[in-house]
């Protein structure tokens, strides 16, 4: 089964949307295999957003993501990476499809509530940044057989 990293960003935590976002992911059938609250350090943020170094929004992005607590999760499911990205919607909420988290709950690209890894290599890298091996649980859910063939 595929695993991906989800970050419920500081704006979502401040706005009381942790439950709403988790609910949307859970209701699709994704399984949470790790979860914690944390405040991201500058060092961790720089690693996580390393691909964006030098872009005009980089400094603001680091400031924002480290400013307040976030909730981070590892979620698992068939095609979890793509499913999470599609549930989140496009990076800019103004362009996100209605029904997605970013379209339904956000207005601006710099306050887009949620992060999801964008590919298998990124997912493995990002999960490794945020979770130790022993923090990610392999557990059997009784509804699994009703969600996956
Ligand atoms: P995503 O979060 O959808 O994977 P990304 O990896 O391209 O998007 O960018 C990471 C975050 O950086 C994104 O969630 C919001 C911010 N960002 C990206 N492009 C931006 C821009 N043009 N202006 C302001 N913030 C931007
Ligand atoms: Mg990205």
């Amino acid at each position: 089964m595929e695993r991906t990293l989800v970050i419920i960003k500081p704006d979502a935590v401040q706005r009381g949307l942790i439950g709403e976002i988790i609910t949307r992911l859970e209701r699709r059938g994704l399984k949470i295999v790790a979860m914690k609250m944390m405040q991201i350090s500058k060092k961790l943020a720089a690693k996580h957003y390393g691909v964006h170094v030098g872009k005009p929004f980089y400094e603001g992005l680091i400031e924002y993501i480290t400013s307040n607590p976030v909730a981070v999760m590892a979620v698992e499911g068939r095609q979890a990476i793509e499913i999470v990205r599609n549930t989140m919607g496009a990076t800019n909420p103004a362009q996100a499809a209605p029904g997605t988290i970013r379209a339904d709950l956000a207005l601006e690209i710099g306050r887009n509530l949620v992060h999801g890894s964008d590919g298998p290599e990124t997912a493995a890298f990002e999960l490794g940044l945020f979770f130790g091996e022993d923090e990610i649980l392999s557990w059997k859910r009784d509804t699994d057989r009703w969600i996956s063939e």
Side-chain angles (χ1 to χ4, degrees):
M1 277 297 169
E2 198 166 76
R3 285 176 176 171
T4 188
L5 180 80
V6 173
I7 305 176
I8 300 176
K9 295 178 177 179
D11 46 342
V13 174
Q14 287 288 337
R15 291 175 56 196
L17 295 173
I18 296 176
E20 168 83 29
I21 291 168
I22 291 177
T23 296
R24 285 173 180 235
L25 298 174
E26 265 193 316
R27 287 176 68 191
R28 279 209 76 162
L30 292 164
K31 190 197 291 183
I32 297 168
V33 291
M35 181 161 68
K36 62 185 170 189
M37 294 287 296
M38 64 184 292
Q39 185 147 356
I40 299 178
S41 68
K42 286 265 158 63
K43 196 173 159 187
L44 177 57
K47 285 184 189 159
H48 176 70
Y49 281 129
V51 293
H52 297 302
V53 172
K55 294 183 185 169
F57 58 86
Y58 179 76
E59 298 299 335
L61 178 61
I62 297 297
E63 210 44 57
Y64 154 66
I65 204 70
T66 60
S67 66
N68 277 277
V70 296
V72 292
M73 286 179 290
V75 306
E76 185 181 274
R78 194 161 286 157
Q79 292 183 270
I81 296 168
E82 188 181 0
I83 297 278
V84 166
R85 296 283 297 185
N86 289 340
T87 306
M88 285 171 15
T91 305
N92 189 340
Q95 274 125 39
T100 63
I101 292 167
R102 285 164 167 172
D104 291 353
L105 305 170
L107 280 177
E108 296 186 15
I109 195 166
R111 297 289 182 270
N112 63 5
L113 302 175
V114 65
H115 168 86
S117 311
D118 64 7
E121 292 79 23
T122 328
F125 172 71
E126 293 176 354
L127 285 167
L129 287 181
F130 285 86
F131 292 104
E133 287 280 322
D134 58 337
E135 286 183 289
I136 301 182
L137 309 179
S138 288
W139 61 286
K140 187 157 168 38
R141 192 174 51 178
D142 292 341
T143 50
D144 282 345
R145 68 196 174 100
W146 302 109
I147 291 163
S148 264
E149 286 190 284

